Amino acid sequence: MSTRDEQITQPVLAPTITFPEEGSNTGPVTLMLGSGIPDALVQVCDSAHTYTLGSGQVSANGRWAFTINGAQPQGLHGIQARQTFDGVTSDWSEVRKYNVRLRPDIDAPVVFEPREGEPADAVPEFSGDVTQAAGFVSIFNLDTGLEIARADVDSDGLWHTQVIQPLAAGQYRTSAVHNIGGKVSDWGRVRTFTVSANGTS
């Protein structure tokens, strides 16, 4: 018979990193996204473990996401992620390498609405601006990877739209990209908001 002292704690596997993609080009401030154990806390560090880029909670869908702290210098970067669940911390993931460009061909879009951390309607409005008055902006639900809204950019570089379908109650983490002729920007800053049970703010 085994005793409680002999029972071995199940190891926690390292989380996966989806974005940034291996070998991709990003802007100095970019999206960190991947999968892990629901409710675990994921931490991302540089591959030398000298500084932390940030951390994010894993959703019920098994997705974690956040925008890095501060801005990264231009050049090649390597990162690793680990997750802590029920007091147990995993090993670090494999190194993910990507290249930071301070002046990307297309800047990431800026989102004005909905505001970070505020309640929103079931059919929230999204608005913002871009540095090039062309193309369109797509809004993605980071927990599902699905596009939930799209807006054409006007002649002043502004854009405005609503979600394609009403959102169910719950918390949402979204990010936006700017598409010009099939060429896509890096991800914008993560925007988090909550739709209440009655679908109104």
Side-chain angles (χ1 to χ4, degrees):
M1 295 178 60
S2 63
T3 66
R4 182 176 299 173
D5 292 338
E6 292 173 338
Q7 292 177 354
I8 300 173
T9 302
Q10 280 290 102
V12 173
L13 298 178
T16 62
I17 300 173
T18 305
F19 293 117
E21 296 178 301
E22 179 69 26
S24 64
N25 293 319
T26 77
V29 177
T30 192
L31 171 71
M32 299 283 160
L33 181 146
S35 58
I37 301 171
D39 294 327
L41 180 66
V42 172
Q43 177 191 23
V44 178
C45 286
D46 69 304
S47 55
H49 301 170
T50 55
Y51 59 89
T52 300
L53 284 87
S55 60
Q57 199 81 26
V58 182
S59 71
N61 289 338
R63 292 277 194 110
W64 57 269
F66 64 89
T67 303
I68 66 163
N69 299 326
Q72 302 168 103
Q74 182 156 307
L76 184 65
H77 290 257
I79 57 171
Q80 289 179 287
R82 66 181 179 182
Q83 62 183 332
T84 300
F85 178 73
D86 200 20
V88 180
T89 300
S90 71
D91 290 334
W92 291 98
S93 66
E94 293 185 2
V95 175
R96 172 61 53 87
K97 294 181 180 179
Y98 58 96
N99 187 56
V100 170
R101 299 175 62 186
L102 297 184
R103 293 183 177 85
D105 295 334
I106 305 175
D107 291 322
V110 174
V111 176
F112 300 152
E113 298 287 346
R115 299 192 180 195
E116 175 64 24
E118 290 192 353
D121 295 332
V123 185
E125 294 189 358
F126 288 87
S127 66
D129 68 6
V130 291
T131 57
Q132 298 180 53
F136 62 90
V137 171
S138 292
I139 307 291
F140 286 87
N141 179 346
L142 297 178
D143 286 321
T144 63
L146 298 176
E147 183 185 52
I148 60 172
R150 179 180 291 193
D152 290 329
V153 175
D154 69 20
S155 59
D156 293 321
L158 300 174
W159 55 270
H160 180 272
T161 188
Q162 290 181 307
V163 293
I164 299 168
Q165 294 182 335
L167 302 178
Q171 186 181 78
Y172 291 83
R173 292 180 295 190
T174 62
S175 187
V177 294
H178 184 194
N179 188 313
I180 301 177
K183 194 166 188 176
V184 181
S185 72
D186 191 21
W187 294 93
R189 286 188 175 275
V190 173
R191 181 56 50 93
T192 304
F193 60 91
T194 301
V195 175
S196 62
N198 61 8
T200 64
S201 56

